[in-house]
């Protein structure tokens, strides 16, 4: 669907630019900025495709996505100073990316006729793994594991999407509703700082 | 074989629970606990299957393993306080997991008719990589690289298994002997703190 | 081509030995030294093959490469004390590895009839990802992202190689010229400490 393709391009640009800022915080060089941008934007889908044996990977079949994410990462170097004025816009675009990636990931698994649980997992991997790779390459514990409703938003989006399709509703409608619901949940979670409960365990390493 | 399947389920539960404790030590949230549990328990087999092009992955074909490891990780949050009383039991179960994963990994490579060296490596990857992924996601240098007979136990188990089969002995017998030998070696290594010699090099980064 | 095969073996030995030194700086045990050596030397090609669905992986089809890199890593433990006298030789061999891996990676993608941009990326992944895996396993931010002309040398080598072949020049000639150009650029970059500009960004994590 055209709208999904347009949102996908917006999402990989937004993911690449926020990853470029993370690279800048660690004083990476320009090559590092581009690599981190591409890996963050395209890594979730790549890991999904490798796990599900779905070849060729998106960027191998469509190398122009690599060009787009590289340009987005490089552009960030020059517009970084004004990007913090757009802080809220980027939080929104990041949330758009999360839910759009999730729906795309679900679609890939649906096309492969995989079990519904795997469809939801495929959505979550597509939505979340790019950020995990970014954090590993920045030598952080992945943010995904520590805070905020992020994976949870992806799971809720995927469950709504799969349940709606199973119930036989119109595809466009189901997609629109799951996207909006996921987006709303994510923005509310950011606004009101909703968090999952933490598991805190203090015994020594055994 | 039924006994191997039963031991496999016990092993992924034990791996998921010890990973959940590691997540708790880093104050991860509940989603992080579940993800780390699943990745640790099922990651070794997944990496093996990707490297050997053996699809579908175990958890893609049998999603209930994901349900089992998720429940095990979540349950850990509530039973953590009593788990340290069971410390020795979990060390044993972790050792069972190591040798069972190793044998399963060898079997996968044997079915693919791969060279015997790759069969042993396949066992080691299945046995050890889950813990490496856990340590990377926790932002540690993998324990595997630093201490204890762990990879070594996996290699010994795999060599005994492959050698026994090559020598033409009964399959169940060979499996039982390799499992027991690996398990004994691991428990002795823990009991007497056997370590591989370390390579210590102090020159500056060049 | 024979010369490429010979250079490949020299390169994996050199990569394994420098990785073994990195392992020694972190006091890893002998098993960790071997694993880090093998992963660094063979990891770039493995990641490329997984991303491009090019099976079997080099070391699965030719397990003797694993034997070679393991022996190289182990030997490093014993010759480490004299290796710093050979510091410049190893910098040269590491640069040889970078450009040889790059050409080999380009060839794999060319055989798969992939787009030219992906051919160059395939070369870069083959040349650079081994070192990235080494740095992740050593719990460092990958050097690749932070300094020196390394990925850039790989890209220049790949672009020259692809452009030369496209222009219809003799294959051996094109290969020789790209190898030499990449090698020269790398050694000049080391000699004169050429760096890519860094992107430094000080705003707080948002």
């Amino acid at each position: 669907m055209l709208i999904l393709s347009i949102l996908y391009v917006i999402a990989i640009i937004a993911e690449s630019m926020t990853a470029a800022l993370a690279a800048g915080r660690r004083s990476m060089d320009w090559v590092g900025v581009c690599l981190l941008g591409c890996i963050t934007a395209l890594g979730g889908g790549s890991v999904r495709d490798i796990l599900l044996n779905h070849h060729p990977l998106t960027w191998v079949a469509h190398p122009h996505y690599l060009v787009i994410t590289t340009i987005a990462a490089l552009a960030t170097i020059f517009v970084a100073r004004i990007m913090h004025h757009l802080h809220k816009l980027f939080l929104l675009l990041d949330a758009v990316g999360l839910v759009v990636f999730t729906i795309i990931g679900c679609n890939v698994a649906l096309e492969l006729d995989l079990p519904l649980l795997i469809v939801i997992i495929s959505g979550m991997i597509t939505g979340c793994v790019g950020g995990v790779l970014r954090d590993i390459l920045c030598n952080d514990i992945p943010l995904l594991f520590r805070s905020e409703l992020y994976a949870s938003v992806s799971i809720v989006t995927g469950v709504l999407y799969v349940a709606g399709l199973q119930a036989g509703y119109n595809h466009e409608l189901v997609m629109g509703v799951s996207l909006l619901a996921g987006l709303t949940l994510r923005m509310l979670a950011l606004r009101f700082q909703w968090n999952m409960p933490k598991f805190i365990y203090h015994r020594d390493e055994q």
Side-chain angles (χ1 to χ4, degrees), chain A:
Chain A
M1 277 154 278
L2 184 63
I3 180 77
L4 207 61
S5 301
I6 293 172
L7 288 174
Y8 176 73
V9 172
I10 292 174
I12 59 175
I13 291 174
E15 300 295 327
S16 182
M17 293 182 81
T18 50
L21 287 189
R25 282 192 200 94
R26 282 145 194 92
S27 307
M28 291 185 186
D29 68 18
W30 289 19
V31 171
V33 171
C34 293
L35 293 175
L36 199 70
C38 292
I39 294 170
T40 305
L42 303 170
S46 301
V47 168
R48 174 204 65 218
D49 287 343
I50 290 167
L51 292 171
L52 302 184
N53 200 25
H54 177 251
H55 290 280
L57 305 198
T58 312
W59 54 269
V60 173
H62 308 287
H64 63 274
Y65 288 136
L66 281 171
V67 177
I68 291 172
T69 48
T70 302
I71 291 173
L74 279 180
T76 307
I77 298 174
F78 301 99
V79 301
R81 276 185 301 176
I82 57 163
M83 268 179 75
H84 72 276
H85 298 300
L86 304 171
H87 176 48
K88 285 185 182 165
L89 175 63
F90 272 89
L91 285 181
L92 176 64
L93 292 179
D94 180 72
V96 170
L98 175 61
V99 292
V100 169
F101 287 175
T102 299
I103 298 287
I104 290 173
C106 290
N107 284 341
V108 168
L110 284 169
E111 277 166 34
L112 296 171
D113 264 330
L114 293 169
L116 295 184
L117 178 58
I118 301 301
V119 172
I120 294 163
I121 303 276
S122 171
M124 190 184 70
I125 291 170
T126 314
C128 301
V129 167
V132 172
L133 293 175
R134 178 197 62 216
D135 293 341
I136 291 175
L137 291 170
C138 288
N139 204 14
D140 292 327
I141 293 188
L143 203 59
L144 180 67
F145 290 18
R146 285 182 293 132
S147 70
E148 292 182 8
L149 300 194
Y150 202 85
S152 323
V153 167
S154 183
I155 293 171
V156 168
T157 308
V159 167
L160 284 176
Y161 186 61
V162 166
L165 292 182
Q166 285 296 103
Y169 291 114
N170 173 276
H171 194 170
E172 272 79 11
L173 177 72
V174 171
M175 202 176 76
V177 169
S178 347
L179 282 175
L180 274 179
L183 199 56
T184 308
L185 178 59
R186 174 73 183 145
M187 296 317 284
L188 288 173
L190 283 173
R191 173 71 185 77
F192 296 106
Q193 305 202 307
W194 289 342
N195 283 304
M196 288 292 288
K198 287 192 193 310
F199 170 39
I200 298 173
Y201 182 73
H202 284 308
R203 295 257 154 202
D204 285 343
E205 201 80 44
Q206 294 170 327

